[in-house]
Amino acid sequence: MTFSAVELIIKKREKQELSKAEIDWLIDNYTKGTVADEQMSAFAMAVLLNGMARSEIKDLTMAMIASGETLDFQGLSMPTADKHSTGGVGDKITLPLAPLVASYGVAVPQLSGRGLGHTGGTLDKLEAIPGWQASLSNTEMYSQLAEIGAVICAAGTGLAPADRKLYALRDVTGTVEAIPLIASSIMSKKIAEGTQALVLDVKVGSGAFMKTLDRATELAQTLVQLGKDAGVRTSALLTDMSTPLGLKIGNALEVEESIEVLTGGGPQDVIDLTVALAKEMLEQVGITNVDPRENLSNGKAMDIWRKMITAQGGDVDAQLPKAKEWHQIKATQSGYISRLDALEVGIASWRLGAGRERKEDQVQFGAGIELHAQLGDRIEAGAPLMTLYTDTPEKFERAIELAEKSTTISDGQAVERKLILGKIS
Ligand code: URA
C-alpha cells in the first residue's frame, strides 16, 4: 500500500491516529530516502506537539526494528539481560554492572554509544583504556558473550538504521524531547539486540533528559510497556540525577572509579546503584536470593572485567591517561553542601574537554572533574571542593566559572539524597 507523506503529516497535525500500515510506510520510505528529511522533521514536530497513542508508539518501534537486522542470542547456554540508562553526569554504572551480572552466569550484551553534549558515552570512557576497541562484528560479540559472559561494544550500523537517521534529524530540529520518539528510539535498538530481559535506569533531575518525576514516570511506563509488548521482560528504576553520581566525572576518571567499585571500594552511591540494578537484572532472569555486593568484594566481578577488557585489546594493567593541567576549587565557607548541580558540573566537565561539541570531535581522556565532597557532606572553609583537569589550560576559565556556581554550602542540617525514586514493572 502506498501513502502520501504530506497527508500523514497533516493527519498527525490534526491529532488523528495513524494506522500500522501508514507508520510502516512512513518509516520504510524515510529509511530509503523517498520521504525527505524536511517531511520527517515536520512529522517529528507534530508528534512532539500532539503525542502518539500507545498502539502508534508500538507500531513506530516495530517499524524501526524492521528497518535493519536483529541479533539472536538464543543459542547461548545462559539467559541474557541488559541495562539501559537515559544518561547522566558521572553515570559510569555500565562499567562495573556488566561484569558483575555476568559473574552470576548471565550473559550481558551491552551495546553502547558515544556522548554528545554534557553526558558522557560509555564507549568514550572505555576507549581511555590503552588498546581497547569498541567495534566488534556480530560473530565476535557472540563468541565473547559465550566465553566471558559480558561484552560492551559499539552498536553496529545494522541495528535500527531508521532510528539512527531520525535521531540525527531530531537533534537539529528541536524534537529530541518527545516521549514517543525517545521511547521508540531506545526500545527499537534494545529489542533488535535480542536481550531476554531489560532493566531501564530512567534518570530524573537537572542532569537528565527528564527534569521532573512526572515526565520520567511517563517515559518509564512507555518504555516498560513497549518492552513487554515485544516479549522482553522489562522493568525500570527511576533514579536521581539532580547531582552527579560518584566523585569522578570524565572518561579515564570514571574508569578509575569503576575499578575502585570492582575492587570492593568506591563511593556509596555508585555501589548502591550498581547493586540495585544488578539485583533487578538478576531477578528478571530468575536469580533471586543473591546479594550482588558479594561478587564486588570477593573479586569475581573484577575477574570478568579483566577478561572482558583484554578480549577487546585493552591493557588492564596500563596506566590510565592523566590530564596535563589541574586546578583546585576550595570551599569559601564552612557548612553542608546543600546543592551540587549535575547539569552545571556536567557542562563544566564537558568544557574541560571530556565531551564533544560535534560528532567528529575527539574527547580528552584525562579531562574532567574530581569532587572531594558530595551533596550532604560537611566541608570546612578552605578545604578542597573539586579538582578540574584538562590538557588545554585555556579551557579552565569557562569551566571554573560554571563549576564554582554549581555548589551551594549552607549552615544547618545536611540534606539527604534519595537515590532510587521509584520502580515501574
Ligand atoms: N537515547 C536514545 O537512544 N534515543 C533517544 O531518543 C534518547 C536517548
Side-chain angles (χ1 to χ4, degrees):
M1 205 173 319
T2 143
F3 298 94
S4 144
V6 181
E7 281 173 22
L8 300 186
I9 296 164
I10 292 172
K11 218 171 158 181
K12 192 50 29 208
R13 189 193 72 193
E14 297 304 316
K15 302 190 171 75
Q16 291 168 22
E17 265 184 41
L18 267 56
S19 68
K20 176 168 167 27
E22 287 170 331
I23 291 176
D24 284 349
W25 181 88
L26 185 68
I27 297 302
D28 184 37
N29 283 278
Y30 176 58
T31 312
K32 288 185 196 143
T34 42
V35 167
D37 275 351
E38 57 269 25
Q39 293 178 310
M40 206 56 192
S41 308
F43 181 77
M45 186 56 82
V47 170
L48 181 130
L49 296 173
N50 295 333
M52 273 185 148
R54 184 153 274 176
S55 61
E56 287 178 291
I57 305 177
K58 180 180 169 198
D59 294 339
L60 179 60
T61 309
M62 293 303 161
M64 296 213 289
I65 295 170
S67 72
E69 61 178 358
T70 49
L71 303 181
D72 183 1
F73 299 124
Q74 300 278 347
L76 291 173
S77 55
M78 306 168 257
T80 49
D82 192 5
K83 185 261 327 189
H84 177 84
S85 158
T86 56
V89 177
D91 184 4
K92 71 278 292 169
I93 302 293
T94 294
L95 275 54
L97 181 67
L100 175 61
V101 173
S103 72
Y104 290 96
V106 177
V108 186
Q110 186 78 55
L111 304 186
S112 300
R114 288 174 205 285
L116 187 65
H118 74 276
T119 61
T122 298
L123 301 181
D124 296 322
K125 295 171 197 185
L126 285 169
E127 277 173 349
I129 302 172
W132 188 84
Q133 295 298 321
S135 293
L136 293 184
S137 67
N138 291 349
T139 319
E140 285 167 334
M141 192 196 315
Y142 192 93
S143 338
Q144 185 171 327
L145 270 182
E147 280 162 32
I148 299 166
V151 62
I152 304 175
C153 65
T157 50
L159 284 188
D163 171 63
R164 194 170 280 266
K165 216 175 153 188
L166 182 55
Y167 191 82
L169 193 68
R170 287 165 56 211
D171 207 23
V172 293
T173 55
T175 51
V176 168
E177 287 84 358
I179 286 182
L181 301 181
I182 298 176
S184 55
S185 167
I186 293 173
M187 294 307 285
S188 60
K189 287 170 284 194
K190 289 293 162 186
I191 297 167
E193 170 199 291
T195 184
Q196 289 162 358
L198 176 64
V199 176
L200 297 149
D201 180 3
V202 179
K203 303 274 183 212
V204 191
S206 73
F209 254 130
M210 297 291 139
K211 309 289 181 203
T212 65
L213 190 56
D214 280 356
R215 290 268 298 160
T217 305
E218 189 187 338
L219 175 62
Q221 282 167 339
T222 311
L223 292 166
V224 169
Q225 192 59 47
L226 277 175
K228 288 187 173 166
D229 286 347
V232 180
R233 274 166 263 155
T234 313
S235 62
L237 296 186
L238 295 154
T239 71
D240 176 55
M241 189 29 71
S242 60
T243 191
L245 257 179
L247 291 164
K248 296 182 181 176
I249 300 112
N251 301 300
L253 287 166
E254 293 192 38
V255 173
E256 220 172 78
E257 191 164 82
S258 301
I259 293 171
E260 288 166 23
V261 172
L262 284 162
T263 46
Q268 201 55 49
D269 57 344
V270 180
I271 301 169
D272 289 347
L273 188 53
T274 304
V275 167
L277 289 164
K279 250 181 155 339
E280 200 57 37
M281 287 166 77
L282 294 170
E283 277 171 19
Q284 296 271 12
V285 296
I287 302 173
T288 50
N289 300 328
V290 295
D291 180 0
R293 283 172 211 272
E294 269 175 29
N295 284 5
L296 283 180
S297 48
N298 64 17
K300 287 191 180 164
M302 186 64 186
D303 288 344
I304 309 253
W305 164 267
R306 294 182 69 87
K307 288 184 193 156
M308 176 181 90
I309 297 300
T310 309
Q312 285 169 251
D315 180 351
V316 274
D317 298 313
Q319 175 88 6
L320 288 165
K322 292 247 183 271
K324 296 196 186 96
E325 310 281 338
W326 58 276
H327 173 93
Q328 201 165 69
I329 296 178
K330 297 198 163 80
T332 49
Q333 66 174 91
S334 300
Y336 290 99
I337 299 183
S338 57
R339 189 183 68 94
L340 179 46
D341 186 72
L343 182 62
E344 287 170 348
V345 172
I347 296 178
S349 166
W350 175 60
R351 286 184 180 173
L352 289 164
R356 52 170 75 75
E357 214 154 321
R358 291 163 309 160
K359 281 199 189 70
E360 51 285 3
D361 293 348
Q362 293 289 320
V363 298
Q364 287 183 21
F365 291 128
I369 297 181
E370 183 175 2
L371 305 171
H372 301 296
Q374 287 180 289
L375 184 73
D377 287 351
R378 167 99 202 152
I379 193 157
E380 301 307 321
L385 189 59
M386 56 181 89
T387 305
L388 278 52
Y389 296 97
T390 185
D391 291 334
T392 32
E394 59 274 21
K395 290 186 184 288
F396 272 134
E397 192 182 341
R398 277 176 24 91
I400 292 170
E401 189 190 323
L402 202 56
E404 283 180 342
K405 260 184 37 194
S406 70
T407 310
T408 309
I409 300 171
S410 312
D411 301 330
Q413 281 297 334
V415 285
E416 206 174 313
R417 175 186 190 187
K418 194 162 181 234
L419 185 60
I420 298 175
L421 305 169
K423 177 176 162 174
I424 310 280
S425 54

